[in-house]
mmCIF file of all heavy atoms in Angstrom:
data_model
loop_
_atom_site.group_PDB
_atom_site.id
_atom_site.type_symbol
_atom_site.label_atom_id
_atom_site.label_comp_id
_atom_site.label_asym_id
_atom_site.label_seq_id
_atom_site.Cartn_x
_atom_site.Cartn_y
_atom_site.Cartn_z
ATOM 1 N N TRP A 135 -7.986 30.946 32.832
ATOM 2 C CA TRP A 135 -8.352 30.932 31.405
ATOM 3 C C TRP A 135 -9.654 30.136 31.338
ATOM 4 O O TRP A 135 -9.659 28.914 31.453
ATOM 5 C CB TRP A 135 -7.232 30.267 30.606
ATOM 6 C CG TRP A 135 -7.467 30.180 29.134
ATOM 7 C CD1 TRP A 135 -8.413 29.429 28.485
ATOM 8 C CD2 TRP A 135 -6.726 30.851 28.106
ATOM 9 N NE1 TRP A 135 -8.305 29.592 27.141
ATOM 10 C CE2 TRP A 135 -7.288 30.458 26.873
ATOM 11 C CE3 TRP A 135 -5.650 31.734 28.119
ATOM 12 C CZ2 TRP A 135 -6.791 30.922 25.663
ATOM 13 C CZ3 TRP A 135 -5.163 32.185 26.902
ATOM 14 C CH2 TRP A 135 -5.719 31.789 25.691
ATOM 15 N N VAL A 136 -10.767 30.856 31.202
ATOM 16 C CA VAL A 136 -12.085 30.230 31.385
ATOM 17 C C VAL A 136 -12.673 29.720 30.067
ATOM 18 O O VAL A 136 -12.696 30.443 29.067
ATOM 19 C CB VAL A 136 -13.059 31.246 32.035
ATOM 20 C CG1 VAL A 136 -14.498 30.818 31.859
ATOM 21 C CG2 VAL A 136 -12.736 31.407 33.524
ATOM 22 N N HIS A 170 -19.934 36.444 32.917
ATOM 23 C CA HIS A 170 -18.884 37.425 32.628
ATOM 24 C C HIS A 170 -19.049 38.660 33.514
ATOM 25 O O HIS A 170 -18.058 39.270 33.956
ATOM 26 C CB HIS A 170 -18.884 37.800 31.146
ATOM 27 C CG HIS A 170 -17.783 38.756 30.786
ATOM 28 N ND1 HIS A 170 -17.953 40.122 30.743
ATOM 29 C CD2 HIS A 170 -16.476 38.536 30.496
ATOM 30 C CE1 HIS A 170 -16.809 40.696 30.433
ATOM 31 N NE2 HIS A 170 -15.890 39.764 30.274
ATOM 32 N N GLY A 174 -15.666 38.809 35.044
ATOM 33 C CA GLY A 174 -14.904 39.530 34.018
ATOM 34 C C GLY A 174 -13.921 40.548 34.585
ATOM 35 O O GLY A 174 -12.970 40.940 33.900
ATOM 36 N N VAL A 177 -11.039 37.805 35.249
ATOM 37 C CA VAL A 177 -10.658 36.839 34.211
ATOM 38 C C VAL A 177 -10.533 37.579 32.888
ATOM 39 O O VAL A 177 -11.496 38.177 32.412
ATOM 40 C CB VAL A 177 -11.720 35.719 34.077
ATOM 41 C CG1 VAL A 177 -11.351 34.775 32.930
ATOM 42 C CG2 VAL A 177 -11.862 34.952 35.388
ATOM 43 N N ALA A 178 -9.323 37.524 32.300
ATOM 44 C CA ALA A 178 -9.103 38.227 31.032
ATOM 45 C C ALA A 178 -9.455 37.356 29.840
ATOM 46 O O ALA A 178 -9.944 37.846 28.829
ATOM 47 C CB ALA A 178 -7.650 38.673 30.942
ATOM 48 N N ASP A 179 -9.190 36.065 29.921
ATOM 49 C CA ASP A 179 -9.283 35.190 28.748
ATOM 50 C C ASP A 179 -10.527 34.314 28.818
ATOM 51 O O ASP A 179 -10.705 33.544 29.779
ATOM 52 C CB ASP A 179 -8.042 34.293 28.672
ATOM 53 C CG ASP A 179 -6.785 35.128 28.514
ATOM 54 O OD1 ASP A 179 -6.594 35.698 27.433
ATOM 55 O OD2 ASP A 179 -6.005 35.228 29.496
ATOM 56 N N TRP A 180 -11.358 34.405 27.788
ATOM 57 C CA TRP A 180 -12.618 33.664 27.740
ATOM 58 C C TRP A 180 -12.694 32.859 26.454
ATOM 59 O O TRP A 180 -12.592 33.418 25.357
ATOM 60 C CB TRP A 180 -13.808 34.636 27.799
ATOM 61 C CG TRP A 180 -13.879 35.336 29.115
ATOM 62 C CD1 TRP A 180 -13.121 36.394 29.527
ATOM 63 C CD2 TRP A 180 -14.744 34.999 30.205
ATOM 64 N NE1 TRP A 180 -13.455 36.734 30.820
ATOM 65 C CE2 TRP A 180 -14.453 35.906 31.250
ATOM 66 C CE3 TRP A 180 -15.743 34.034 30.399
ATOM 67 C CZ2 TRP A 180 -15.118 35.864 32.486
ATOM 68 C CZ3 TRP A 180 -16.403 33.995 31.606
ATOM 69 C CH2 TRP A 180 -16.086 34.898 32.634
ATOM 70 N N THR A 181 -12.881 31.555 26.618
ATOM 71 C CA THR A 181 -13.120 30.676 25.481
ATOM 72 C C THR A 181 -14.583 30.282 25.531
ATOM 73 O O THR A 181 -15.072 29.856 26.588
ATOM 74 C CB THR A 181 -12.253 29.400 25.600
ATOM 75 O OG1 THR A 181 -10.896 29.780 25.707
ATOM 76 C CG2 THR A 181 -12.426 28.498 24.402
ATOM 77 N N THR A 182 -15.279 30.427 24.424
ATOM 78 C CA THR A 182 -16.707 30.083 24.439
ATOM 79 C C THR A 182 -16.907 28.577 24.557
ATOM 80 O O THR A 182 -17.460 28.081 25.540
ATOM 81 C CB THR A 182 -17.383 30.600 23.163
ATOM 82 O OG1 THR A 182 -16.635 30.118 22.035
ATOM 83 C CG2 THR A 182 -17.423 32.126 23.156
ATOM 84 N N VAL A 224 -19.847 35.983 21.837
ATOM 85 C CA VAL A 224 -18.708 36.870 21.561
ATOM 86 C C VAL A 224 -19.200 38.304 21.396
ATOM 87 O O VAL A 224 -18.636 39.246 21.969
ATOM 88 C CB VAL A 224 -17.926 36.385 20.323
ATOM 89 C CG1 VAL A 224 -16.944 37.451 19.847
ATOM 90 C CG2 VAL A 224 -17.189 35.091 20.625
ATOM 91 N N LEU A 227 -20.309 39.668 24.848
ATOM 92 C CA LEU A 227 -19.192 39.899 25.771
ATOM 93 C C LEU A 227 -18.333 41.077 25.314
ATOM 94 O O LEU A 227 -17.814 41.829 26.137
ATOM 95 C CB LEU A 227 -18.340 38.633 25.931
ATOM 96 C CG LEU A 227 -19.035 37.423 26.569
ATOM 97 C CD1 LEU A 227 -18.012 36.344 26.897
ATOM 98 C CD2 LEU A 227 -19.806 37.787 27.820
ATOM 99 N N ARG A 228 -18.191 41.227 24.033
ATOM 100 C CA ARG A 228 -17.476 42.413 23.518
ATOM 101 C C ARG A 228 -18.140 43.682 24.022
ATOM 102 O O ARG A 228 -17.469 44.616 24.448
ATOM 103 C CB ARG A 228 -17.539 42.457 22.006
ATOM 104 C CG ARG A 228 -16.567 41.677 21.307
ATOM 105 C CD ARG A 228 -15.296 42.457 20.944
ATOM 106 N NE ARG A 228 -14.497 41.543 20.132
ATOM 107 C CZ ARG A 228 -13.468 40.856 20.581
ATOM 108 N NH1 ARG A 228 -13.026 41.024 21.806
ATOM 109 N NH2 ARG A 228 -12.834 40.009 19.813
ATOM 110 N N GLY A 231 -17.213 44.712 27.261
ATOM 111 C CA GLY A 231 -15.814 45.096 27.443
ATOM 112 C C GLY A 231 -14.881 43.932 27.723
ATOM 113 O O GLY A 231 -13.797 44.125 28.279
ATOM 114 N N ALA A 232 -15.291 42.734 27.318
ATOM 115 C CA ALA A 232 -14.416 41.575 27.541
ATOM 116 C C ALA A 232 -13.082 41.793 26.843
ATOM 117 O O ALA A 232 -13.020 42.426 25.791
ATOM 118 C CB ALA A 232 -15.079 40.312 27.009
ATOM 119 N N ARG A 233 -12.025 41.262 27.447
ATOM 120 C CA ARG A 233 -10.693 41.541 26.924
ATOM 121 C C ARG A 233 -10.296 40.554 25.824
ATOM 122 O O ARG A 233 -10.178 40.904 24.676
ATOM 123 C CB ARG A 233 -9.691 41.533 28.071
ATOM 124 C CG ARG A 233 -9.813 42.794 28.915
ATOM 125 C CD ARG A 233 -9.023 42.723 30.192
ATOM 126 N NE ARG A 233 -9.775 42.105 31.276
ATOM 127 C CZ ARG A 233 -9.290 41.854 32.479
ATOM 128 N NH1 ARG A 233 -8.039 42.127 32.751
ATOM 129 N NH2 ARG A 233 -10.042 41.316 33.424
ATOM 130 N N GLU A 234 -10.115 39.291 26.150
ATOM 131 C CA GLU A 234 -9.621 38.323 25.170
ATOM 132 C C GLU A 234 -10.680 37.246 24.955
ATOM 133 O O GLU A 234 -11.040 36.535 25.914
ATOM 134 C CB GLU A 234 -8.334 37.670 25.678
ATOM 135 C CG GLU A 234 -7.162 38.627 25.810
ATOM 136 C CD GLU A 234 -6.588 39.001 24.453
ATOM 137 O OE1 GLU A 234 -6.329 38.089 23.648
ATOM 138 O OE2 GLU A 234 -6.429 40.214 24.197
ATOM 139 N N LEU A 235 -11.143 37.115 23.716
ATOM 140 C CA LEU A 235 -12.223 36.164 23.420
ATOM 141 C C LEU A 235 -11.793 35.200 22.324
ATOM 142 O O LEU A 235 -11.223 35.618 21.306
ATOM 143 C CB LEU A 235 -13.461 36.928 22.928
ATOM 144 C CG LEU A 235 -14.155 37.824 23.950
ATOM 145 C CD1 LEU A 235 -15.169 38.717 23.259
ATOM 146 C CD2 LEU A 235 -14.847 36.946 24.994
ATOM 147 N N GLY A 236 -12.131 33.936 22.524
ATOM 148 C CA GLY A 236 -11.785 32.952 21.503
ATOM 149 C C GLY A 236 -12.641 31.707 21.615
ATOM 150 O O GLY A 236 -13.618 31.652 22.378
ATOM 151 N N ILE A 237 -12.287 30.722 20.836
ATOM 152 C CA ILE A 237 -12.981 29.423 20.816
ATOM 153 C C ILE A 237 -11.911 28.355 20.640
ATOM 154 O O ILE A 237 -10.820 28.647 20.130
ATOM 155 C CB ILE A 237 -14.011 29.366 19.664
ATOM 156 C CG1 ILE A 237 -14.855 28.082 19.717
ATOM 157 C CG2 ILE A 237 -13.337 29.506 18.299
ATOM 158 C CD1 ILE A 237 -16.034 28.074 18.745
ATOM 159 N N PRO A 305 -15.103 38.812 14.699
ATOM 160 C CA PRO A 305 -13.657 38.629 14.912
ATOM 161 C C PRO A 305 -13.296 38.203 16.342
ATOM 162 O O PRO A 305 -13.931 38.615 17.312
ATOM 163 C CB PRO A 305 -13.080 40.016 14.590
ATOM 164 C CG PRO A 305 -14.067 40.617 13.653
ATOM 165 C CD PRO A 305 -15.417 40.109 14.099
ATOM 166 N N LEU A 306 -12.271 37.376 16.415
ATOM 167 C CA LEU A 306 -11.808 36.815 17.690
ATOM 168 C C LEU A 306 -10.438 37.359 18.042
ATOM 169 O O LEU A 306 -9.705 37.840 17.168
ATOM 170 C CB LEU A 306 -11.713 35.281 17.569
ATOM 171 C CG LEU A 306 -13.005 34.561 17.205
ATOM 172 C CD1 LEU A 306 -12.738 33.076 16.980
ATOM 173 C CD2 LEU A 306 -14.026 34.760 18.315
ATOM 174 N N ASP A 307 -10.074 37.216 19.298
ATOM 175 C CA ASP A 307 -8.741 37.625 19.739
ATOM 176 C C ASP A 307 -7.744 36.471 19.681
ATOM 177 O O ASP A 307 -6.541 36.691 19.647
ATOM 178 C CB ASP A 307 -8.809 38.165 21.169
ATOM 179 C CG ASP A 307 -9.759 39.336 21.243
ATOM 180 O OD1 ASP A 307 -9.581 40.289 20.471
ATOM 181 O OD2 ASP A 307 -10.713 39.281 22.048
ATOM 182 N N PHE A 308 -8.266 35.259 19.743
ATOM 183 C CA PHE A 308 -7.370 34.102 19.622
ATOM 184 C C PHE A 308 -8.187 32.904 19.142
ATOM 185 O O PHE A 308 -9.417 32.879 19.275
ATOM 186 C CB PHE A 308 -6.680 33.761 20.956
ATOM 187 C CG PHE A 308 -7.632 33.351 22.048
ATOM 188 C CD1 PHE A 308 -8.051 32.027 22.189
ATOM 189 C CD2 PHE A 308 -8.119 34.285 22.954
ATOM 190 C CE1 PHE A 308 -8.929 31.649 23.198
ATOM 191 C CE2 PHE A 308 -8.992 33.919 23.964
ATOM 192 C CZ PHE A 308 -9.402 32.603 24.083
ATOM 193 N N LEU A 309 -7.470 31.948 18.583
ATOM 194 C CA LEU A 309 -8.092 30.670 18.230
ATOM 195 C C LEU A 309 -7.373 29.582 19.013
ATOM 196 O O LEU A 309 -6.131 29.491 18.968
ATOM 197 C CB LEU A 309 -7.967 30.396 16.727
ATOM 198 C CG LEU A 309 -8.554 29.056 16.276
ATOM 199 C CD1 LEU A 309 -10.084 29.087 16.311
ATOM 200 C CD2 LEU A 309 -8.077 28.686 14.864
ATOM 201 N N PRO A 372 -6.575 34.865 14.079
ATOM 202 C CA PRO A 372 -5.923 35.629 15.138
ATOM 203 C C PRO A 372 -4.838 34.753 15.782
ATOM 204 O O PRO A 372 -4.687 33.577 15.411
ATOM 205 C CB PRO A 372 -7.080 35.896 16.114
ATOM 206 C CG PRO A 372 -8.026 34.773 15.896
ATOM 207 C CD PRO A 372 -7.927 34.433 14.439
ATOM 208 N N PRO A 373 -4.084 35.281 16.745
ATOM 209 C CA PRO A 373 -3.048 34.453 17.392
ATOM 210 C C PRO A 373 -3.601 33.100 17.858
ATOM 211 O O PRO A 373 -4.754 33.002 18.263
ATOM 212 C CB PRO A 373 -2.613 35.312 18.574
ATOM 213 C CG PRO A 373 -2.854 36.713 18.112
ATOM 214 C CD PRO A 373 -4.087 36.652 17.256
ATOM 215 N N TYR A 375 -3.351 29.493 20.156
ATOM 216 C CA TYR A 375 -2.893 28.795 21.351
ATOM 217 C C TYR A 375 -3.153 27.312 21.139
ATOM 218 O O TYR A 375 -4.217 26.957 20.599
ATOM 219 C CB TYR A 375 -3.676 29.222 22.597
ATOM 220 C CG TYR A 375 -3.355 30.621 23.071
ATOM 221 C CD1 TYR A 375 -3.953 31.725 22.463
ATOM 222 C CD2 TYR A 375 -2.458 30.839 24.112
ATOM 223 C CE1 TYR A 375 -3.663 33.015 22.880
ATOM 224 C CE2 TYR A 375 -2.162 32.130 24.540
ATOM 225 C CZ TYR A 375 -2.757 33.214 23.916
ATOM 226 O OH TYR A 375 -2.467 34.488 24.334
ATOM 227 N N ARG A 420 0.935 31.629 20.767
ATOM 228 C CA ARG A 420 1.182 32.382 22.003
ATOM 229 C C ARG A 420 1.278 31.513 23.253
ATOM 230 O O ARG A 420 1.666 32.002 24.311
ATOM 231 C CB ARG A 420 0.048 33.386 22.209
ATOM 232 C CG ARG A 420 -0.116 34.395 21.089
ATOM 233 C CD ARG A 420 0.894 35.514 21.194
ATOM 234 N NE ARG A 420 0.779 36.429 20.068
ATOM 235 C CZ ARG A 420 0.043 37.558 20.079
ATOM 236 N NH1 ARG A 420 -0.653 37.894 21.140
ATOM 237 N NH2 ARG A 420 0.008 38.322 19.003
#
Side-chain angles (χ1 to χ4, degrees):
W135 180 293
V136 163
H170 183 266
V177 176
D179 298 289
W180 294 78
T181 303
T182 53
V224 167
L227 296 190
R228 277 267 185 259
R233 285 170 273 176
E234 294 286 311
L235 293 169
I237 186 171
L306 301 174
D307 301 306
F308 63 86
L309 178 72
Y375 289 81
R420 300 281 176 94

